[in-house]
Amino acid sequence: MTVEQLSRLRVIVFLLAGLTIAGYGALALVFGRPDPIWPWIPTFAGVSAVVIIFTSAARSGDKVAGASFDELFDVEWRRAVSWSYWIAIAMYPLFTVPLATGMLTSQTAFAAMGTISGGAPLLLYCFITLRS
């Protein structure tokens, strides 16, 4: 596997895992339930992403993996994580009114906020990487 292929695979896997994890939170909000689909799906998506990326990097060799996970990756990942921190913080005031008015249960808010916060860095990394 080349550096470009490994980098593309990482973006695709991050995108699929991020959509699955954050999508679970969106579905929880749409259906108003903390378990809109099987609750193990976000975990499976995250663990599968780790296994796919780690295995691909290990099979590509140290030189290719090192070039793929370089300083640019670190900068983009750090930026994605810092933006997702602010997304997680912004969800608290956004969820206050629906929780206070009873439109949303605390269990559903917990499931939605947790999975949206978990998927945000993956999706933001893809956005940052594809934008540049």
Side-chain angles (χ1 to χ4, degrees):
M1 192 173 265
T2 66
V3 175
E4 292 82 17
Q5 290 172 330
L6 185 56
S7 296
R8 269 190 244 121
L9 177 69
R10 180 179 58 229
V11 170
I12 291 168
V13 170
F14 275 14
L15 182 64
L16 293 174
L19 287 173
T20 303
I21 295 167
Y24 184 91
L27 286 175
L29 293 174
V30 168
F31 292 124
R33 298 180 40 179
D35 57 347
I37 52 176
W38 299 304
W40 52 266
I41 288 177
T43 304
F44 180 74
V47 171
S48 297
V50 169
V51 169
I52 290 168
I53 292 171
F54 180 79
T55 304
S56 300
R59 292 190 63 186
S60 296
D62 289 340
K63 186 176 179 180
V64 171
S68 177
F69 291 92
D70 60 356
E71 293 85 13
L72 180 61
F73 169 77
D74 290 338
V75 168
E76 290 175 340
W77 180 249
R78 201 170 301 122
R79 186 176 299 154
V81 170
S82 65
W83 286 3
S84 64
Y85 168 79
W86 290 109
I87 288 173
I89 295 297
M91 280 194 281
Y92 285 98
L94 291 174
F95 278 68
T96 301
V97 173
L99 279 167
T101 59
M103 295 171 46
L104 195 61
T105 66
S106 60
Q107 293 86 4
T108 303
F110 182 77
M113 291 174 72
T115 52
I116 291 171
S117 295
L122 301 172
L123 295 174
L124 287 169
Y125 173 80
C126 294
F127 174 75
I128 292 166
T129 300
L130 295 175
R131 189 180 67 153
S132 57

